[in-house]
């Protein structure tokens, strides 16, 4: 009997790790490692980079060597330029029977988490300094930015646009797949029973 497969997917600081830990603690479920797609982060013993056309999610899960009946992992999308074609190519590496759990979080809270933690290095770009910035971003900086890890308003705006684009494309892909569950960060605990049912527990 084929094992049930699922993938938690979302932007950085969106709550994917929290949900992963909750699911991994359940009997009959294993949810391990962190997948990255077209990422600038360094691979590690737990972080796996998915290559275009060379990665099979099913083979990756089989390599976990688990006897549990439900296998899963998480995929974190960096706030960088992902084209629609890139993300569609990503989902082609997934078995059609893979259940997708899309975790979303307020972009203001994501930025707050980035700033409070290690920051985020953006590649250098030409920003439109006259364009509108996410409401409250300056207040956010005043309250939460450390002197060592400062994000400019332009950085914050660029990150926010990329977070939105990732979520927008993922939501579009939802129409292409039957087994897709979307959950907000604030509802993870409340909707955990529904999520467990969704992955087949």
């Amino acid at each position: 009997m084929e094992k049930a497969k699922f993938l938690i997917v979302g932007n950085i600081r969106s709550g994917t790790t929290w949900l992963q830990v909750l699911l991994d603690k359940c009997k009959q479920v294993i949810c391990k490692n962190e997948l990255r797609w077209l990422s600038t982060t360094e691979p590690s013993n737990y972080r796996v980079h998915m290559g275009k056309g060379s990665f099979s999610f099913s083979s990756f899960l089989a390599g976990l060597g688990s006897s549990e009946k439900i296998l899963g992992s998480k995929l974190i999308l960096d706030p960088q330029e992902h084209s629609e074609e890139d993300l569609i190519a990503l989902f082609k590496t997934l078995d059609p029977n893979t259940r997708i759990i899309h975790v979303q979080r307020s972009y203001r809270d994501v930025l707050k988490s980035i700033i409070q933690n290690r920051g985020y290095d953006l590649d250098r770009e030409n920003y439109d300094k006259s364009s509108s910035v996410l409401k409250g971003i300056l207040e956010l900086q005043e309250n939460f930015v450390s002197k060592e890890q400062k994000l400019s308003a332009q950085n914050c705006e660029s990150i926010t646009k990329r977070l939105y684009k990732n979520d927008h494309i993922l939501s579009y892909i939802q129409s292409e797949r039957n087994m897709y569950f979307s959950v907000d960060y604030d509802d993870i605990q409340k909707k955990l029973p529904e999520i467990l049912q969704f992955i087949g527990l």
Side-chain angles (χ1 to χ4, degrees):
M1 181 174 162
E2 186 179 5
K3 296 182 179 182
K5 300 182 284 287
F6 70 92
L7 178 65
I8 303 166
V9 62
N11 284 307
I12 62 170
R13 309 286 180 187
S14 65
T16 56
T17 300
W18 179 27
L19 180 56
Q20 179 182 38
V21 170
L22 290 175
L23 295 180
D24 192 53
K25 288 182 177 180
C26 297
K27 290 183 178 179
Q28 303 182 59
V29 178
I30 184 169
C31 188
K32 298 292 186 187
N33 296 334
E34 175 181 297
L35 302 176
R36 291 291 184 122
W37 174 253
L38 304 179
S39 177
T40 58
T41 60
E42 290 295 325
S44 67
N45 59 346
Y46 72 91
R47 184 181 294 131
V48 179
H49 282 211
M50 305 167 71
K52 274 190 176 181
S54 61
F55 184 87
S56 165
F57 185 60
S58 294
S59 297
F60 165 74
L61 291 179
L64 296 178
S66 173
S67 61
E68 307 297 355
K69 73 171 190 175
I70 302 174
L71 307 178
S73 189
K74 69 175 178 184
L75 166 67
I76 297 178
L77 296 175
D78 292 334
Q80 63 188 41
E81 284 297 331
H82 292 115
S83 69
E84 185 174 316
E85 291 74 22
D86 283 339
L87 291 186
I88 288 174
L90 158 65
F91 275 77
K92 286 182 178 178
T93 69
L94 305 177
D95 186 300
N97 294 324
T98 300
R99 294 165 169 84
I100 306 297
I101 306 170
H102 180 191
V103 183
Q104 299 180 70
R105 188 181 187 187
S106 156
Y107 301 142
R108 180 182 173 88
D109 288 342
V110 171
L111 286 169
K112 176 180 172 180
S113 179
I114 292 171
I115 291 167
Q116 285 179 317
N117 289 277
R118 294 174 297 156
Y120 190 85
D121 293 327
L122 282 176
D123 48 349
R124 301 258 177 213
E125 293 186 16
N126 293 320
Y127 298 108
D128 179 1
K129 295 182 180 180
S130 64
S131 61
S132 61
V133 181
L134 187 67
K135 184 179 179 181
I137 216 64
L138 295 178
E139 175 190 346
L140 185 73
Q141 286 182 268
E142 290 174 6
N143 291 337
F144 301 109
V145 176
S146 70
K147 292 180 180 178
E148 295 78 20
Q149 298 289 352
K150 185 172 183 179
L151 288 178
S152 69
Q154 289 79 24
N155 288 152
C156 291
E157 183 178 14
S158 181
I159 290 173
T160 301
K161 286 180 177 178
R162 295 173 182 193
L163 294 173
Y164 170 78
K165 187 174 181 182
N166 286 345
D167 278 331
H168 179 71
I169 296 175
L170 289 172
S171 294
Y172 169 76
I173 292 172
Q174 178 178 4
S175 65
E176 305 295 316
R177 302 182 74 93
N178 295 324
M179 292 179 286
Y180 192 105
F181 191 100
S182 185
V183 61
D184 189 85
Y185 176 89
D186 293 331
D187 295 329
I188 288 176
Q189 196 75 47
K190 180 175 68 176
K191 291 193 174 181
L192 187 58
E194 291 179 56
I195 294 170
L196 291 173
Q197 184 178 22
F198 174 72
I199 65 174
L201 194 61

